[in-house]
Amino acid sequence: MLRFSLPEDDVAWYNALGSAFEDLIRRRRLDSEMDEEMRHHIEMEARRNAESGMTSEVARRSAVRAFGGVERYKEEVRDARGAGWMQDVGQDVRYAARSLRRRPAFTVVAALTLALGIGATTALFGVVKAVLIAPLPYGDPEGIAVVWSSWRGFERTWVSYDEYEAYETEIPAFAAVGLFSDGAANLTEGDEPERVRTGFVMHQVFPILGVAAVLGRGFTAEEDRPGGPPVAVLGYGLWQRRFGGDPSILGRDIQVNGQARTVVGIMPAGFRLPLDFGARGTSELWLPLATTAEASGAIPGPAMQLNGGSHGFYAVARLADAVTAQQANTQLNAFFAQKVAEGAYTAEQQFRAFAVPIEEQVTGGVRDALLIVFAAVGFVLLIACANVAGLLMVRGEQRRRELAVRVALGAGARRLVRQLLTEAMVLAAIGGALGVALAVLGVRLVRATAPAGLPRIAETSIDPGVLLFAVGAALLAAFLSGVLPALQASGVAPGAAMRDGARGATTGRARLRWRQAVVAIEVALAVVLVTGAGLMIRTVANLLAIDTGFRPEGVLTMRLSTPAAWYPDAPRVAAFHDELRRRVAAIPGVQAVGAARILPLATDMGDWGVQVDGYVPPPNEGSPADWQVVTPGYFEAMGLRLVAGRFLDERDAMDAPLVLIVNRGFVSKYFAGREPLGGRVRISGGPSDAFATVVGVVDDVRHNGLTTDVKAQFYAPHAQFAVSPGSTQRTMSLVVRTTGNSRALVAPVRSVIRDLDSRLPVSEVRTMEEIVSEAIAAPSFARTLLGLFGVLALVLSAIGIFGIVSQVVAARAQELGIRAALGATPGALVRLTLGTGVRQTVVGLSVGVIAAIVCTRAMIGLLHGVAPFDPVTLVAVLGVTGVVAIGAALGPAWRAGRTDPMSVMHEG
């Protein structure tokens, strides 16, 4: 037989609980015994009174009065026996439910008010939990870091192969380092081709991340080399979607970019590469990176190229035991300081490397914005609680006679507080249940409107943890909304309440001041929220006002690639794009069509070294320029502005003289004081005599971001880029300018591509307007949510002010009637009662401005073109909030102005 023992304290607790349940079961018998005991004591006291000469009736009344309240006695006995609290809770809940049912309008308004606050808070907590709190899909994520490079003009960028080798051997803080890159691949397995986001990883990347395949395995070192066995690892979602979750796919070949690759593993559901979290799509297919020092153009061994050579990889590292990312950064700083001293890196480049903890990498870009929005929705909950507290105070005033009678009958202050708090709990329970339903809708809304770069937003749900938070929010709401009305009601004096009731009054000045204070707090919180919303509105307006350098209206884009398996050389790739442009241009509604390596505001451009004839760079400094590869028609399709010269056209074929288009930034840096047209530029890596002639200058385009500086840029013809520097650009984005709805041309353009080559899938079908919107998605998202919460705060504050002025009108009804009878004009009565709402509004606005100045400092990282302390925004907020608040007070004040003296006197 198994025996269990409990600590002494637990035994006592369980015994007390058992005794309480036993007493609860015997409640009727105990009540009967207490009633009998009460009668016995009263009769004994009555006999003593009678013996002293009182009549029997007077003796009994005196005995009852001397003994005290029957109910209070019962409460004390139950408490002494340890079972009273359970019985009382049940009684309080039933009484509260009956009381709330008798006042359905009050119950509905209060419950819905709490539901809005609890629902909004719960929904945002679901987002915060999914994005910031939920563990990352890695093993021991605390020991993982992403390694970045930085130099002048690039705050966070790629790593070179030379640097990777140095990190593995020279940085003790790194136990292991792996490289990866991202891209896409054509998957032609099955009837319909699909463009799949693809990760190219070294074989050690999966072990560094601490993730193993759920079926099969990852890559081996033998597979991760140039010319190694063609293998692939599938994502769980892709495996389910394309292959029906069939485990026999392991060991079978699939067609990737026209090449057969053997599937060796299936990764777990939810696995992502570190940079997938902030990307528009998620990698669903992984291929070996298959590179070496020689293949990547690096120097094998400890030697390094100048400035690290070509940077084109992402790096992830597993930290050594008990080592932090900060310690790793200390070692990296020391290492590169030494390399600069040795001349491997130039001081002018300002190169550095740094490690970012994986959690910061995933959530760092959105953490501040989410926490600010979550704090804002917390303010909404506080306003909702304040509003319900005000409603409960008004209701408490209406129940003063009822409470006074209960006190006179022996109910103690503690019992009254408990009863009123129970009513608040019941209201909060109803509001919490409705709030969870609203939270479900809110989560769906957030998931639908959230920016694509918000990590793990698709994983947001109302799970048990979020439900537990909703329960906590409801309990907090019950306490915040119920404690002040309960304490106020507990001080009721039976005599004073009866006198107030006899005069027809409903409130006193001291009690009214509490209600006014609550309303002032509501207004102050509303000012903070509306100020935050106003700052984000101005930020988004400033971002939209930035000149992008192109015209996004009416532009359709889509991405496609021509694999080497089907297009083995540059002439065939160029011929495909020439024919594609010709056919798409023939579609009705198409104004211009072209293609580009990458699209503005969609992907960072990156730079390439150039040699400009007649320009001598400073010592130890190169001549970089951001690079773009485009076909004829691209400039017209994107609406770029021609400053000088001409655009690219059919003359700029592969066998024609090399030409380039440059931007204003290129001209100001490399042709300062010289004529750019006819100037000669050589792209590094090409033949030494392969100089291209500048034939056109275009206006600057904000490619890497709306707020980033525009650097020198050059545009190389797609066909000629295969000649110099000798790189065939296979993946391009098609750009189509239309005369009408650009989305209407998706099907016709797809049809043209299918007719040209049915094996080529398209992906990332977007309009340029959508791309611009995504570039400001984060501030737009914050603006939308803060604006929604600000409007909600204004509505709740208006309701609160309406309630307080209505209460004042009711409390001063007789006074207003007397004033009207003595000749006060309706306007004077309106001004008299309106002053109450105005005073609370002024107090709330004053406190709110101070709070807003303090709180909005946390938003500085989200703002653009506007300071946290922005006078224009504050003045606008004060105006809007003041108008709403005073407007809410006008209704009851207007009723006060129409007071009928005779009806008031009659009611009095």
Side-chain angles (χ1 to χ4, degrees), residues 96-115:
R98 288 195 302 269
S99 177
L100 293 174
R101 281 199 303 270
R102 288 196 297 267
R103 296 168 176 81
F106 163 82
T107 303
V108 169
V109 171
L112 285 178
T113 300
L114 288 177

Side-chain angles (χ1 to χ4, degrees), residues 370-385:
L370 265 186
L371 292 180
I372 288 171
V373 173
F374 188 58
V377 77
F379 281 4
V380 172
L381 179 59
L382 290 177
I383 294 174
C385 292

Side-chain angles (χ1 to χ4, degrees), residues 92-255:
D92 289 345
V93 170
R94 288 192 296 272
Y95 182 85
R98 288 195 302 269
S99 177
L100 293 174
R101 281 199 303 270
R102 288 196 297 267
R103 296 168 176 81
F106 163 82
T107 303
V108 169
V109 171
L112 285 178
T113 300
L114 288 177
L116 288 172
I118 294 172
T121 308
T122 301
L124 260 296
F125 176 76
V127 175
V128 170
K129 179 177 179 293
V131 177
L132 302 181
I133 300 176
L136 294 172
Y138 304 129
D140 186 22
E142 294 79 10
I144 305 173
V146 178
V147 186
W148 293 95
S149 300
S150 174
W151 58 81
R152 190 171 59 185
F154 288 90
E155 182 179 351
R156 181 176 292 194
T157 189
W158 299 281
V159 171
S160 73
Y161 196 92
D162 276 331
E163 290 158 359
Y164 153 72
E165 288 188 321
Y167 298 155
E168 279 215 310
T169 58
E170 303 292 334
I171 306 298
F174 295 150
V177 183
L179 298 180
F180 65 96
S181 64
D182 55 7
N186 295 342
L187 184 62
T188 53
E189 191 74 16
D191 297 332
E192 188 68 24
E194 182 179 358
R195 185 87 173 150
V196 179
R197 184 174 172 85
T198 305
F200 301 88
V201 301
M202 280 186 166
H203 66 279
Q204 60 264 50
V205 166
F206 293 155
I208 287 174
L209 295 175
V211 181
V214 292
L215 285 178
R217 58 174 176 81
F219 302 124
T220 65
E222 177 66 18
E223 293 162 345
D224 183 25
R225 60 174 179 79
V231 293
V233 170
L234 302 181
Y236 192 89
L238 179 64
W239 175 49
Q240 294 287 327
R241 186 177 70 252
R242 296 282 300 196
F243 306 101
D246 184 2
S248 67
I249 189 68
L250 291 179
R252 283 169 41 191
D253 288 348
I254 60 174
Q255 294 294 316

Side-chain angles (χ1 to χ4, degrees), residues 554-625:
V555 178
L556 174 68
T557 73
M558 58 184 68
R559 200 146 176 86
L560 69 161
S561 181
T562 49
W566 304 326
Y567 298 85
D569 52 37
R572 298 189 194 188
V573 174
F576 169 83
H577 281 283
D578 288 342
E579 182 64 16
L580 176 61
R581 287 188 294 107
R582 186 186 66 79
R583 295 196 187 188
V584 172
I587 298 174
V590 173
Q591 284 186 327
V593 58
R597 176 178 71 95
I598 49 178
L599 295 172
L601 302 180
T603 308
D604 287 350
M605 185 177 282
D607 63 8
W608 198 302
V610 295
Q611 178 184 342
V612 180
D613 200 12
Y615 172 80
V616 179
N620 299 319
E621 184 175 330
S623 303

Side-chain angles (χ1 to χ4, degrees), residues 100 128 233 362 444 458 548 601 621 688 764 769 831 880:
L100 293 174
V128 170
V233 170
V362 172
R444 292 178 181 175
T548 61
L601 302 180
E621 184 175 330
S688 58
E764 301 181 34
E769 288 177 303
R831 289 192 296 273
V880 170

